[in-house]
Amino acid sequence: MTLLNKHLIHRNVTFRDADDALKSMATAMVENQYVKPTFVDAVIRREHKFPTGLPTGGIMVAIPHADWTNVNRGTISVATLEKPVLFKNMGNPEEDLAVRLIFMLAVSEPHAEVNLLRDLMGIVQNQATLQGLLDAPTDLDLFKRLEDMFQDIVVDKEKKEETSK
């Protein structure tokens, strides 16, 4: 099962603010039937209560998500931003972060976001990887780069499962 859908990958987009980004990305997930219509408001409400901006270095990232009860099928939507959008820092909600990459998660099982977030942290902590996503020259190239990254996560999980048997 793939987590990615070309219709949920947004390259070099411009949003007015974080709420505009969340609404736009979540609406695309609804239109593609990955999430219920309730997901849109749920992800915005959750972001206001529990910010998801990460101070990952030069290229800041946000990883918004909402409760699994709003999800039909698991997916990840990704947006590279033409101009940074301010998100509150997860670790210090008083601080604004100029985010250039958004990874919106929709997980369909309770507690599944913990594993996905852990896996995603390896990606977002690598500035060269993030720069590679921002530099993707076409929508298809961005999709392929993301597909390769998430394939590595699946492969790593499979290796760990084989090792633990």
Side-chain angles (χ1 to χ4, degrees), residues 10-38:
H10 315 279
R11 187 180 66 86
N12 291 340
V13 290
T14 301
F15 297 115
R16 288 186 309 279
D17 54 29
D19 283 356
D20 183 39
L22 297 173
K23 183 176 182 180
S24 177
M25 293 174 73
T27 298
M29 289 175 147
V30 171
E31 290 168 352
N32 285 276
Q33 301 178 346
Y34 282 94
V35 298
K36 299 170 184 166
T38 56

Side-chain angles (χ1 to χ4, degrees), residues 7-8 10 13-32 35-48 52 62 64-66 77 79 81 85-87 102-105:
H7 300 291
L8 301 178
H10 315 279
V13 290
T14 301
F15 297 115
R16 288 186 309 279
D17 54 29
D19 283 356
D20 183 39
L22 297 173
K23 183 176 182 180
S24 177
M25 293 174 73
T27 298
M29 289 175 147
V30 171
E31 290 168 352
N32 285 276
V35 298
K36 299 170 184 166
T38 56
F39 185 87
V40 179
D41 287 336
V43 77
I44 293 169
R45 271 195 320 274
R46 189 189 184 290
E47 186 67 31
H48 288 202
T52 63
H65 48 283
S77 178
L81 308 183
V85 169
L86 296 179
F87 276 77
I102 303 170
F103 293 87
M104 182 177 283
L105 311 182

Side-chain angles (χ1 to χ4, degrees), residues 144-160:
K144 286 184 184 288
R145 290 177 190 194
L146 287 163
E147 214 173 31
D148 289 347
M149 285 176 11
F150 286 103
Q151 178 62 36
D152 288 346
I153 287 174
V154 171
V155 169
D156 286 348
K157 275 188 179 177
E158 289 170 357
K159 284 179 186 172
K160 287 176 189 169

Side-chain angles (χ1 to χ4, degrees), residues 52-56 59-63 97 99-101 103 124 130:
T52 63
L54 293 171
T56 51
I59 300 167
M60 304 291 183
V61 172
I63 308 177
L97 300 176
V99 167
R100 291 283 315 278
L101 265 163
F103 293 87
V124 303
L130 299 179

